[in-house]
Amino acid sequence: MALITVSLYLAGARKEALVVAIVLIITNVVSFGFKYVIARPRPADLGVTPENQPSFPSGHTANAFAFATTLSSYHRKFSVVMFSWALLVAFSRVYLGFHYVTDLIGGALVGVTIR
């Protein structure tokens, strides 16, 4: 995400890059705020040692969906690719044992709503 944002900036799409950067910053602030207010523990039953950070919502998923939503508003022809990528990011979080499915739903809602 950072590489694409910097590439946009260097390619002359400065306003778009700035919007993407601001959306990602706000998404991180909101998702981490929810994490510590809700304080849901991460899954421990999948053989992966839970991290110290709370689970809900998934920050990776929130960022992926915020990024996909923001870029899709500028480049509609890439919407399917961007949201497919965001879904793969979300799926990987459950697959790797770091989140519950409801964490992904919460993260996706945060990401789509911020834009």
Side-chain angles (χ1 to χ4, degrees):
M1 290 184 286
L3 182 61
I4 291 173
T5 304
V6 169
S7 297
L8 286 169
Y9 184 83
L10 294 175
R14 288 181 167 80
K15 180 183 175 191
E16 181 179 345
L18 181 63
V19 169
V20 169
I22 290 170
V23 165
L24 290 176
I25 290 168
I26 293 170
T27 300
N28 278 303
V29 169
V30 170
S31 64
F32 276 99
F34 278 134
K35 276 183 185 288
Y36 290 100
V37 167
I38 296 170
R40 178 181 188 182
R42 291 185 181 267
D45 57 343
L46 298 175
V48 177
T49 305
E51 298 176 15
N52 292 333
Q53 284 187 349
S55 177
F56 183 88
S58 167
H60 285 87
T61 302
N63 283 323
F65 274 90
F67 190 71
T69 302
T70 304
L71 281 185
S72 293
S73 70
Y74 288 100
H75 308 281
R76 297 215 185 272
K77 62 184 174 184
F78 295 114
S79 294
V80 172
V81 172
M82 293 304 302
F83 282 103
S84 296
W85 168 77
L87 285 170
L88 287 173
V89 168
F91 172 75
S92 75
R93 305 309 293 162
V94 170
Y95 181 79
L96 294 172
F98 294 118
H99 287 283
Y100 299 103
V101 173
T102 52
D103 299 341
L104 308 181
I105 295 168
L109 288 173
V110 167
V112 171
T113 304
I114 296 298
R115 176 57 172 115

